[in-house]
Amino acid sequence: VIVGFGPAGMFAALLLARAGARPIVLERGPDAQTRSAQIAAFRAGGPFDPECNVQFGEGGAGTFSDGKLNTGTHDARIGFVLAEFAAHGAPEHITYDAKPHIGTDVLVEVVQNLRREVIDRGGEVRFGHRVTGLSTEDGHIAALTVAGPAGSYTLPARQVILAIGHSARDTFEMLHAQGVPMEPKPFSVGARIEHRAETIDRAQYGDFAGDPALGAADYKLNVHLENGRGVYTFCMCPGGYVVGAASETDSVVTNGMSEYARDGQNSNAALLVGITPEDFGSAHPLAGIELQRKIERAAFEAGGGAYSAPCQRVGDLLENRATTALNGSVQPTYRPGVVPGDLRAVLPDYICDSMAEGIRRMGRRLRGFDDPDALLTAPETRSSSPVRILRNETRECPTVRGLFPCGEGAGYAGGITSAAVDGLRCAEEILKQSL
């Protein structure tokens, strides 16, 4: 059984299905088409659905991003992952580009094609099925308790891959309550910084900016401050837009998304500050989640309580004053809308101070990055998991044999490709044990 159908769960399912293992995939969210419609409706001012959003559903959180496939990891399986994406509908050039990306619009189709192969080879994918408990026998996983559309049921299982993603907070809480060992881990907090795409193009390409052969420009910046904190950009979306990425009611979270053409008027990236468990205020394994919740609920209130996001001009952050109007050259792309204000009402001072100093230094390296009219839409709290579920050399939970914590949510990956690779590794271990 595979819990979660993001990149880790999807590639684990693909490999197991090809080996004849007939995996059963449990995905709490809906299929990709249903997700697309719901996310579009939410952006247009419709209701928020805690089980159908940017975090939950077929393809995981990575489906509604830029679809970036570059990774800092090195593994022979990366070529396999890229080749399978291409074979299932992504453009072939992702197999040799230095910075491959698919785009949300194309990725939505690719993940459905991957699912169809899993099913054609004897696997099963159950949407709307959420794991609520597990049972063991003699220290080995024996069954899962599952909440499905028709009610709760017990699913026997001797091998379970936990590819739950970094936002399945209720699942983390259930696992912790049942004694699955885990620990807090460092992650990052900040906001989405948004510029006019032409500003970034001009800074990177000079007189060649606007040439269709080049496309929208990207960047990757990082600085280390005297206060000991690192500030860096992450998940840069050229020609993209800022999206709502909450998974709980009465909360606001931001993320970035772009389509294959990357032809939007703005470019955005996460501007993040690294934090460690010492910043969480508690030694509890789930303390990082509680810090995320506190920030996200403060953002909901600062945005007026209707899922609008708080937004501040870069110039106002640097001058330590609240933003009262957004009438500059950069207009926000976040929907259902933004409310001008002061990010210090949402983020701790040490985050805001670090972001401000980071922007000043990055502006000296990338012309226009410190443009006073650039916008900061907050908060970005889901760049990585704040929890690591422990596993041993066989990738199993040390106290529950047959339980395989996997992917970004379990703390062993950081992006689409590395999560897919970790899914393959866990599937390989299951096949090895089955020989």
Side-chain angles (χ1 to χ4, degrees), residues 99-277:
K99 297 179 180 179
H101 91 284
I102 298 178
T104 291
D105 49 339
V106 177
L107 197 50
V108 165
E109 298 301 321
V110 171
V111 298
Q112 294 179 83
N113 292 335
L114 283 161
R115 182 231 307 167
R116 293 183 185 108
E117 180 176 344
V118 170
I119 294 171
D120 289 345
R121 291 181 178 271
E124 183 180 352
V125 180
R126 302 179 185 179
F127 293 115
H129 290 249
R130 179 171 55 89
V131 174
T132 59
L134 55 85
S135 59
T136 62
E137 293 178 359
D138 299 324
H140 199 289
I141 190 73
L144 300 174
T145 304
V146 184
S152 182
Y153 64 95
T154 299
L155 179 64
R158 293 293 290 175
Q159 288 94 19
V160 174
I161 294 179
L162 280 177
I164 59 177
H166 58 43
S167 293
R169 293 169 171 173
D170 49 1
T171 308
F172 284 121
E173 291 162 357
M174 176 273 291
L175 294 169
H176 179 262
Q178 295 204 217
V180 173
M182 57 185 68
E183 63 186 14
K185 63 177 281 293
F187 67 109
S188 301
V189 171
R192 277 273 151 184
I193 187 165
E194 195 165 19
H195 302 83
R196 292 281 297 179
E198 61 189 33
T199 299
I200 304 302
D201 292 350
R202 175 64 61 176
Q204 296 288 54
Y205 298 148
D207 291 341
F208 295 101
D211 190 310
L214 293 174
D218 65 0
Y219 58 78
K220 185 176 182 180
L221 302 168
N222 65 83
V223 296
H224 191 77
L225 306 182
E226 282 73 13
N227 63 11
R229 300 197 183 269
V231 184
Y232 64 100
T233 63
F234 176 76
C235 187
M236 196 273 165
C237 296
Y241 44 98
V242 181
V243 297
S247 60
E248 295 179 333
T249 57
D250 299 340
S251 300
V252 166
V253 183
T254 64
N255 196 5
M257 183 187 301
S258 59
E259 296 182 340
Y260 178 71
R262 288 177 164 177
D263 57 358
Q265 67 176 4
N266 289 357
S267 291
N268 73 83
L271 180 68
L272 298 175
V273 179
I275 62 174
T276 68

Side-chain angles (χ1 to χ4, degrees), residues 5 10 27 68 78 106 186 229-230 246 278 298 301 337 348 384 406 418:
F5 205 46
M10 186 168 290
E27 169 54 57
K68 282 178 285 295
I78 292 172
V106 177
R229 300 197 183 269
E278 286 71 29
E301 294 298 323
S384 64
C406 179
S418 61

Side-chain angles (χ1 to χ4, degrees), residues 305-345:
Y307 295 99
S308 293
C311 186
Q312 187 172 19
R313 294 175 62 255
V314 160
D316 291 331
L317 177 78
L318 297 184
E319 296 296 328
N320 197 19
R321 63 182 177 233
T323 295
T324 57
L326 300 172
N327 51 13
S329 60
V330 184
Q331 290 300 299
T333 58
Y334 177 93
R335 300 292 180 269
V338 301
V339 173
D342 188 346
L343 295 192
R344 293 180 186 275

Side-chain angles (χ1 to χ4, degrees), residues 1-3 21-26 123-126 153 155-156:
V1 175
I2 299 169
V3 184
R22 302 174 66 87
I24 298 172
V25 180
L26 306 175
E124 183 180 352
V125 180
R126 302 179 185 179
Y153 64 95
L155 179 64

Side-chain angles (χ1 to χ4, degrees), residues 264-412:
Q265 67 176 4
N266 289 357
S267 291
N268 73 83
L271 180 68
L272 298 175
V273 179
I275 62 174
T276 68
E278 286 71 29
D279 298 308
F280 297 173
S282 166
H284 192 280
L286 303 181
I289 288 177
E290 288 309 308
L291 177 59
Q292 288 176 323
R293 279 185 170 138
K294 179 181 178 181
I295 292 171
E296 293 162 13
R297 289 171 179 168
F300 182 79
E301 294 298 323
Y307 295 99
S308 293
C311 186
Q312 187 172 19
R313 294 175 62 255
V314 160
D316 291 331
L317 177 78
L318 297 184
E319 296 296 328
N320 197 19
R321 63 182 177 233
T323 295
T324 57
L326 300 172
N327 51 13
S329 60
V330 184
Q331 290 300 299
T333 58
Y334 177 93
R335 300 292 180 269
V338 301
V339 173
D342 188 346
L343 295 192
R344 293 180 186 275
V346 175
L347 298 169
D349 284 344
Y350 67 84
I351 298 291
C352 292
D353 291 341
S354 297
M355 286 198 306
E357 182 58 25
I359 289 170
R360 292 187 184 97
R361 298 191 186 192
M362 291 174 183
R364 294 196 286 268
R365 294 166 55 183
L366 183 69
R367 185 183 298 242
F369 190 82
D370 55 353
D371 178 0
D373 279 347
L375 302 178
L376 292 159
T377 308
E380 168 95 31
T381 50
R382 308 286 184 93
S383 60
S384 64
S385 180
V387 179
R388 177 174 288 110
I389 305 175
L390 303 187
R391 69 186 188 188
N392 59 24
E393 64 279 359
T394 61
R395 296 187 168 80
E396 292 174 276
C397 172
T399 60
V400 184
R401 297 191 309 277
L403 188 66
F404 294 81
C406 179
E408 190 165 341
Y412 298 100

